[in-house]
Amino acid sequence: METQVDEIAAGVYRLSTFTDAIAGGFTFNQFLVAGDDALLFHSGPRQMFPLVSAALAKVIPLERLRWVSFGHWEADESGALNDWLQAAPNAEVAVGTLGVLLSGHDQAIRPPRPPLADGEVLDLGGKRVRWIDTPHVPHGWDAGLLFEETTATLLCGDLFTHNGAVPALTEADVVGPASATEDLYHFSCLTAATAPTVRRLATLAPRTLGIMHGASFAGDGAAALEAMADDYDRRFQASIAAAQ
Ligand SMILES: [Fe+2]
Ligand SMILES: [Fe+2]
């Protein structure tokens, strides 16, 4: 295995590790937002830390990492957190309110920064990331996402997860592959709030989607999010019909 580095938007780097141990192949992607204060979105799993940290060091020195953030607490999102905190002495955890209250104080070897409120912007110097609460979307009570404002890049975590050996960045459809992967893994938490939460993200009008598992997407992010919301709506209605 190796970790490939690609700049998917100005100063936003995708660190991608492909494994064929999962059917059809699967990518684990972290995103480095290289502001003056560098931020990493997703720590990656502990076992991938040697690969991912070597990849990040090709872009910036590890010690320059200031923030480690992720969509929710789970092995691939937060597993290597403490390895990063050890490697980068100035790094702190930056996640939302539930993430700090439920897990942050217990799981991190250093106290997290005060919780990022819904809509709060973290100014990285040259880059600005806005935290958005998305509870249970696509999964995890503490779920949230980051929107990098200067490049209109939505770091959308597990949303749009799709498997396969994919390019770093695509302009092709990502909704169809994500829907097929949902059929396979059922990784999303379907509630009445799922589609409306995804539609709220569409109002950000992202030009790039940084997808944690799969290719990143360049193009009309709002249209992709609306189509993903339609897919979730269809699934939710079908689940209600099936229960009646
Ligand atoms: Fe997850
Ligand atoms: Fe994930």
Side-chain angles (χ1 to χ4, degrees):
M1 277 199 301
E2 60 175 317
T3 301
Q4 185 186 324
V5 181
D6 291 277
E7 190 172 10
I8 58 158
V12 180
Y13 297 84
R14 172 184 182 267
L15 316 177
S16 180
T17 311
F18 175 78
T19 172
D20 56 11
I22 296 171
F26 202 70
T27 46
F28 291 87
N29 307 318
Q30 301 77 39
F31 295 91
L32 171 66
V33 182
D36 297 335
D37 290 337
L39 175 142
L40 182 68
F41 194 60
H42 315 309
S43 73
R46 269 190 315 140
Q47 293 185 15
M48 285 186 188
F49 179 74
L51 285 173
V52 179
S53 57
L56 183 136
K58 292 179 186 167
V59 187
I60 59 162
L62 247 63
E63 316 79 72
R64 246 194 69 198
L65 192 62
R66 179 67 182 88
W67 302 111
V68 182
S69 185
F70 37 84
H72 48 274
W73 292 83
E74 192 178 12
D76 57 333
E77 274 82 6
S78 61
L81 167 66
N82 288 330
D83 299 276
W84 291 107
L85 295 183
Q86 269 164 349
N90 295 319
E92 290 176 276
V93 187
V95 292
T97 308
L98 284 171
V100 170
L101 295 180
L102 297 173
S103 301
H105 290 302
D106 182 70
Q107 297 290 302
I109 55 170
R110 283 201 291 282
R113 84 179 287 289
L116 289 166
D118 184 35
E120 183 174 347
V121 171
L122 195 55
D123 191 336
L124 307 180
K127 291 277 175 277
R128 292 164 52 85
V129 289
R130 193 191 313 175
W131 177 267
I132 301 155
D133 285 336
T134 62
H136 301 294
V137 176
H139 53 248
W141 184 20
D142 57 323
L145 304 174
L146 284 180
F147 180 62
E148 202 292 302
E149 296 185 336
T150 71
T151 57
T153 299
L154 183 64
L155 301 175
C156 46
D158 288 333
L159 269 178
F160 297 100
T161 286
H162 54 282
N163 53 12
V166 293
L169 190 63
T170 185
E171 294 180 3
D173 174 45
V174 287
V175 178
S179 182
T181 304
E182 182 67 39
D183 287 339
L184 211 55
Y185 299 142
H186 306 286
F187 62 89
S188 297
C189 177
L190 279 181
T191 75
T194 310
T197 302
V198 176
R199 292 195 204 285
R200 183 163 80 102
L201 298 172
T203 65
L204 297 166
R207 293 193 299 270
T208 305
L209 302 175
I211 296 171
M212 184 179 190
H213 309 286
S216 290
F217 171 77
D220 186 344
L225 286 156
E226 287 287 352
M228 198 72 249
D230 289 347
D231 190 74
Y232 281 130
D233 253 344
R234 178 182 60 77
R235 290 174 189 279
F236 183 58
Q237 297 305 331
S239 71
I240 291 173
Q244 283 169 347

